[in-house]
Amino acid sequence: MPSEEGDTREVVTSLAKRRGFLWPSFELYGGMRGFYDYGPMGAALKRNIERFWLRLWVGEEGMIELDSALVNPREVFEASGHLEEFEDFVVSCADCDSSFRADHLLEGLHPNPDALSKEELAEELVVKGVTCPECGGGISEPASFNLMFATRAGPGEGREAYLRPETAQGIFVNFSHLYRLGRERLPFGVAQLGRGFRNEISPRQGIIRLREFNMAEVEAFFHPAKRQWSGDMRTYADTQLTLVPDGSDEVQVTLGEALEKGIMCNEALAYFVGVTQRFLVGVGVDPERLRFRQHLQTEMAHYASDCWDAEALLSYGWTELVGIADRGDFDLRRHHERSGQDLRVFVRYPEPQEMEVERLAPVHKELGPRFRGDAKAVAEALMEADASAVGDDGTATVTIPDGDGTRSVEVPAECFTLERKVEKVTGERVLPHVVEPSFGIDRITWTVLEHAYTQRTGEDGEAMTVLQLPPIVAPVNVGVFPLVTKDGLDIIAEQVDGRLRGAGLRTHYDGSGSIGRRYARADEAGIPFCITVDHQSREDDSVTIRWRDTQDQVRLPISHLVDSVKELSGLD
Amino acid sequence: MPSEEGDTREVVTSLAKRRGFLWPSFELYGGMRGFYDYGPMGAALKRNIERFWLRLWVGEEGMIELDSALVNPREVFEASGHLEEFEDFVVSCADCDSSFRADHLLEGLHPNPDALSKEELAEELVVKGVTCPECGGGISEPASFNLMFATRAGPGEGREAYLRPETAQGIFVNFSHLYRLGRERLPFGVAQLGRGFRNEISPRQGIIRLREFNMAEVEAFFHPAKRQWSGDMRTYADTQLTLVPDGSDEVQVTLGEALEKGIMCNEALAYFVGVTQRFLVGVGVDPERLRFRQHLQTEMAHYASDCWDAEALLSYGWTELVGIADRGDFDLRRHHERSGQDLRVFVRYPEPQEMEVERLAPVHKELGPRFRGDAKAVAEALMEADASAVGDDGTATVTIPDGDGTRSVEVPAECFTLERKVEKVTGERVLPHVVEPSFGIDRITWTVLEHAYTQRTGEDGEAMTVLQLPPIVAPVNVGVFPLVTKDGLDIIAEQVDGRLRGAGLRTHYDGSGSIGRRYARADEAGIPFCITVDHQSREDDSVTIRWRDTQDQVRLPISHLVDSVKELSGLD
């Protein structure tokens, strides 16, 4: 790795820890890899990033929100495919007992090791003669390792459960509630912020690859034939993007051009790319170091049919911050099938249509003896069903009431006949398709810090660090300094500080050291504006306000400060 | 249980689900007890409650914030005592294999079953002849069951880890970082919001007893001899409280009186009771159904020396919402001892004092052969230590540098002598003591819903539900209705709606049904204000605004709406 990037990373890592943004967890006990804690500045920065995210997706796009459980029972991940598919391959050393991700051992020896199957990895490791990086011993064959954290709920053996690897499944398993609360129409979207977990075999790269992380996900549900979001595409048509389509070269285009030229085909996905670009740049990702890259077929997740990643150029190289994937009906279909609950929604045609339909007609004399008390309910369910309820083996599966809930019943072929008839059909039941923008909040927070990091030369030639955080995400809105702590200036400054805090602004009061040192400390902490109370303040109730990035200063009346700082900061 | 309370609970539970506040998780797969999801309204209500909490504790009291990991390694809970002490007692039925909390089976048979030890429980279960409530079979002796969710981090056996049972330990293990970031002075406080986990044996009572829950905790650190917070006690001296001191009868007093009369002795704890009362009433807990109850000695947690619970009267009876405990130096001392890191802080005396001190003088000829290369470092550490470094067995424990960190070393008695001398001492190293206000956010959210629930009689005599949520926590700030969806009124209403949303307010646009029905729907959803665009709006750009609780209406110019709604809602 080039040393300049390594330097930036070290400097930002050290700054982040020193100023209370973030640091590795559990240092008191020697640390545990893959876990980070957010300090006072980091917690506020992260919350401000999340708040802007909510403003765009919930406030402007009208997504409805969910906050669902982190511990989920096995059934959820059986249906989602995570129990089978969410895995990496681990090799271990017989001599020193170290474990490694198999693909990591092939870095530099193979162009794309993380796309290899278990068998291909095994072969490559032998061909390349890979040994244990710790002790040089022989290594085992790759074994599958599921990346979910397992636990058990309840006493004794308890119930098998996992920490969720993504927030998305919480949305899918609540789909029926959410569709009702979204007023039963398509498209509609659900947004969720929260923790996710991934039991990495050997986490590296600081906060870029965590075992416990913060996510922000949107699941937008569409009619299968109409992937078009309700927002107005013209809003983002002129948004400038850097795109890397399907293994091709980088192109600079507007979103409108990308759609016209067919670089992007999925209109909903394209619209979300527009919102994502605005979000990332808004919180402080440098647009010069931001691009959207389309996934190659080989790297797509098990559920995705098209996917564009927002990637930022970091000291770690190009790094995924956001994945925007078309998941089709993969998830809803799996939950629909596994749970036995009908997750299809009824979509009305513009006008009723005459159609030939296949209906199931119950054969009552067969139903009675078989289903006894349930026979009437089964007959009704058969009449409401259509040919799609009949499986390959000729039996029909229908749902009948059972207590407060429902129950699935298998009905043998002799209990009904199939009849074709022409009916006026008012609509159809469909499984919605999903486009998912999924945001890695920790990586975004890191990127904001790394891209905000700059140096300027001070008056005496020394290098000064300036953290150019955008005002809307800066953890501290404004610094408040008395020029000197005498002549009553400190009393006025404390009043100014109290007034700003009373209006909900976060302030940093600093009365110690030279005013230059205090500006420097505020610059390093990313505070966008500093207010200084000087001797003139006693005479005309005015103060100076200084911009971090330009170092310009103007005088303002104290009575205007709250409104001015809020307006300058882009806060409501 | 009296049927009226049962009714209230059912009605609020059903309303909470229907309107998208909260509901049991994983209903698609038959549910998993002890888990709840927050829907669109609930997620916003909870966030607003948390925001007000941050405003008081971080904004006003100046606590610094932390957001630490949920998955923690074993060492943390060995030190905290949770591995040993955080347990309930489970009995199981040999016939039907059901499990129960032993103390639950004694409810109604013993006055205070949850205060019984394992042995006492065993005896009482036999004496009272308790059998399995499911099948009447015989039950096992009580067995200890640790209430932490266990998992493993990393491949293979991995590292033993647990989901945190409280956010507090994240603060304690980060104490050194946080003390530095808090500018190295006492008192100072740290605030943390986040999930906690408790693997209940058999969760009951809906959202009151969850396995996964949301907490908000403050750890305030004090000099051991001075439990006095930096806030001005006069702020809360006149706050009216209902107190239940140490098993006595309820008293109505001001906080000032409670301190004067010695009902409360701990000034810091009392101040936090004041802030807590203001917080709870501010978010909508009815002060008539709120009290602070002092813990009896027998019910105190393993770490606490004094504790007052804020309790709310709910359909479930009096229920703990907040615990304010004096944890002394229990946690820091345990981490100090287990980690081998010195967690004491240096507190300067007002003036240097001449004191007779016991110093360790190194005996170099003994140190050399024993400690070789480390001898010099050990000698220096001995000279800096005092008599408290010497244990009962006569050996001294000192800390020496080791690479980037430090290492603890045992020094035998023959390697040093104890010398008394008079020195000018500038201060002392102490382990801070802790007072902890710990808030159960889910229970508070539920209480806000239950206390907000009211009924009024509509014009035609029907019962109408009104959810009287305070405007600062209401998920939707304002409803926007066109009187009719013609004559351009809907266009004006949409513009008004867009303007309010653009200013960061959450709105509910509703154009369907009679205006009375729309008001009723808004009242049930807890929307505090509704704006109606009528024919007069076309003439003079004014609208009506209606108060949910009084049903009063006034006319306002559209240009003032944003400011008016924000001011009425108490939003910055």
Side-chain angles (χ1 to χ4, degrees), chain A residues 193-205:
Chain A
L193 286 163
R195 291 283 218 276
F197 301 84
R198 183 181 165 112
N199 195 5
E200 293 285 348
I201 291 168
S202 95
R204 307 183 297 180
Q205 303 187 309

Side-chain angles (χ1 to χ4, degrees), chain B residues 461-482:
Chain B
E462 62 179 327
M464 327 265 282
T465 294
V466 184
L467 206 55
Q468 297 190 317
L469 298 173
I472 60 157
V473 299
V476 176
N477 301 114
V478 59
V480 180
F481 311 150

Side-chain angles (χ1 to χ4, degrees), chain B residues 70-336:
Chain B
L70 310 186
V71 175
N72 286 217
R74 175 186 176 92
E75 292 88 329
V76 173
F77 302 115
E78 259 172 6
S80 71
H82 284 91
L83 264 180
E84 254 179 76
E85 307 271 357
F86 189 63
E87 57 183 16
D88 276 338
F89 303 105
V90 60
V91 295
S92 52
C93 171
D95 293 347
C96 75
D97 209 33
S98 301
S99 296
F100 309 93
R101 254 179 73 171
D103 57 335
H104 284 175
L105 299 188
L106 287 167
E107 277 171 10
L109 303 173
H110 185 279
N112 198 12
D114 63 346
L116 297 178
S117 70
K118 187 161 125 186
E119 292 67 31
E120 290 165 340
L121 284 166
E123 195 186 320
E124 282 294 310
L125 288 167
V126 172
V127 168
K128 298 295 186 336
V130 172
T131 56
C132 172
E134 294 290 333
C135 76
I139 55 169
S140 69
E141 290 219 346
S144 303
F145 177 67
N146 191 287
L147 297 176
M148 287 195 292
F149 281 92
T151 189
R152 309 198 74 94
E157 275 300 288
R159 185 161 168 189
E160 191 177 338
Y162 297 89
L163 300 188
R164 66 179 182 194
E166 57 177 9
T167 70
Q169 296 306 321
I171 297 175
F172 298 130
V173 301
N174 278 305
F175 176 74
S176 298
H177 290 317
L178 295 165
Y179 183 66
R180 180 179 58 76
L181 292 164
R183 304 196 196 179
E184 307 201 336
R185 58 190 176 191
L186 294 178
F188 91 108
V190 185
Q192 177 158 223
L193 286 163
R195 290 286 219 275
F197 301 85
R198 185 182 164 111
N199 195 5
E200 292 285 348
I201 291 169
S202 97
R204 309 182 296 181
Q205 304 186 310
I207 202 169
I208 298 301
R209 194 158 284 282
L210 293 174
R211 285 174 165 156
E212 175 179 333
F213 43 84
N214 295 280
M215 311 181 79
E217 294 191 300
V218 164
E219 310 300 318
F221 297 91
F222 297 89
H223 189 284
K226 200 176 175 197
R227 278 174 170 64
Q228 203 172 14
W229 182 242
S230 48
D232 187 342
M233 181 59 87
R234 286 171 299 186
T235 318
Y236 294 106
D238 295 332
T239 300
Q240 284 290 339
L241 299 171
T242 302
L243 299 182
V244 186
D246 194 22
S248 319
D249 289 341
E250 210 171 277
V251 289
Q252 310 276 345
V253 286
T254 65
L255 189 53
E257 287 164 355
L259 276 166
E260 262 170 47
K261 294 182 181 167
I263 301 173
M264 289 187 158
C265 307
N266 187 317
E267 203 175 317
L269 206 154
Y271 184 87
F272 294 152
V273 164
V275 182
T276 300
Q277 166 92 6
R278 178 169 156 221
F279 164 72
L280 291 174
V281 173
V283 297
V285 177
D286 177 5
E288 304 287 319
R289 286 178 273 177
L290 174 61
R291 71 182 189 189
F292 288 83
R293 188 178 67 79
Q294 189 174 26
H295 274 212
L296 306 176
Q297 280 300 324
T298 49
E299 57 175 330
M300 216 97 74
H302 62 271
Y303 46 72
S305 68
D306 189 10
C307 185
W308 289 78
D309 283 351
E311 297 182 331
L313 185 57
L314 294 174
S315 58
Y316 299 98
W318 284 102
T319 305
E320 176 191 354
L321 303 184
V322 186
I324 310 177
D326 189 325
R327 294 173 80 129
D329 66 1
F330 179 87
D331 301 275
L332 281 187
R333 181 167 297 285
R334 299 270 297 209
H335 287 296
H336 173 83

Side-chain angles (χ1 to χ4, degrees), chain A residues 316-376:
Chain A
Y316 298 98
W318 285 101
T319 305
E320 176 191 354
L321 303 184
V322 186
I324 310 177
D326 190 325
R327 295 174 79 129
D329 66 359
F330 179 87
D331 301 275
L332 281 187
R333 182 166 298 284
R334 298 269 297 209
H335 288 295
H336 172 83
E337 287 166 0
R338 300 285 171 128
S339 69
Q341 306 284 318
D342 190 350
L343 298 184
R344 294 175 304 165
V345 306
F346 184 79
V347 180
R348 196 170 287 277
Y349 296 135
E351 291 184 16
Q353 295 181 22
E354 294 220 327
M355 295 175 99
E356 192 181 76
V357 292
E358 284 190 308
R359 285 286 170 201
L360 309 190
V363 178
H364 291 283
K365 72 174 166 35
E366 298 283 346
L367 284 172
R370 264 176 228 270
F371 293 101
R372 295 160 191 248
D374 289 333
K376 184 155 168 275

Side-chain angles (χ1 to χ4, degrees), chain A residues 17-21 23-33 35-41 43-44 46-47 54-55 58-62 64-73 75-76 79 90 99-100 145 149-156 159-161 163-164 170 172-174 176-178 180-181 183 192-193 195 197 199-202 211-212 214 334-336 338-339 341 343 501-506 508-510 566 572, chain B residues 17-21 23-33 35-41 43-44 46-47 54-55 58-62 64-73 75-76 79 90 99-100 145 149-156 159-161 163-164 170 172-174 176-178 180-181 183 192-193 195 197 199-202 211-212 214 334-336 338-339 341 343 501-506 508-510 566 572:
Chain A
K17 182 168 178 174
R18 192 172 65 252
R19 300 304 307 232
F21 285 94
W23 56 75
S25 307
F26 314 117
E27 289 182 332
L28 190 66
Y29 292 105
M32 182 158 74
R33 285 201 293 170
F35 295 87
Y36 265 72
D37 292 342
Y38 287 89
M41 295 287 277
K46 178 157 73 76
R47 182 180 310 108
L54 284 170
R55 186 160 123 188
V58 178
E60 294 196 8
E61 298 304 329
I64 63 176
E65 233 189 309
L66 179 72
D67 184 358
S68 69
L70 311 186
V71 175
N72 286 217
E75 292 89 329
V76 173
V90 59
S99 296
F100 309 93
F145 177 67
F149 282 91
T151 189
R152 308 198 76 93
R159 186 160 168 188
E160 192 178 336
L163 299 188
R164 66 180 182 194
F172 298 130
V173 301
N174 278 305
S176 297
H177 290 318
L178 295 165
R180 180 178 58 75
L181 291 165
R183 302 194 198 182
Q192 177 158 221
L193 286 163
R195 291 283 218 276
F197 301 84
N199 195 5
E200 293 285 348
I201 291 168
S202 95
R211 285 173 165 157
E212 175 177 333
N214 295 279
R334 298 269 297 209
H335 288 295
H336 172 83
R338 300 285 171 128
S339 69
Q341 306 284 318
L343 298 184
R501 280 192 290 118
L505 292 164
R506 294 256 177 119
H508 165 76
Y509 185 90
D510 190 352
K566 284 193 177 181
D572 298 321
Chain B
K17 183 168 179 175
R18 189 172 70 250
R19 300 305 305 232
F21 285 94
W23 57 74
S25 307
F26 313 118
E27 289 183 331
L28 190 65
Y29 292 106
M32 182 158 73
R33 284 201 294 170
F35 295 87
Y36 265 73
D37 292 343
Y38 286 89
M41 295 287 276
K46 178 157 75 76
R47 181 180 310 108
L54 284 170
R55 186 159 124 188
V58 178
E60 295 196 7
E61 298 304 330
I64 64 175
E65 235 190 307
L66 179 73
D67 184 359
S68 69
L70 310 186
V71 175
N72 286 217
E75 292 88 329
V76 173
V90 60
S99 296
F100 309 93
F145 177 67
F149 281 92
T151 189
R152 309 198 74 94
R159 185 161 168 189
E160 191 177 338
L163 300 188
R164 66 179 182 194
F172 298 130
V173 301
N174 278 305
S176 298
H177 290 317
L178 295 165
R180 180 179 58 76
L181 292 164
R183 304 196 196 179
Q192 177 158 223
L193 286 163
R195 290 286 219 275
F197 301 85
N199 195 5
E200 292 285 348
I201 291 169
S202 97
R211 285 174 165 156
E212 175 179 333
N214 295 280
R334 299 270 297 209
H335 287 296
H336 173 83
R338 300 284 172 128
S339 69
Q341 307 283 321
L343 298 184
R501 280 193 292 117
L505 291 164
R506 296 256 176 118
H508 165 77
Y509 185 90
D510 190 353
K566 283 194 175 179
D572 297 321

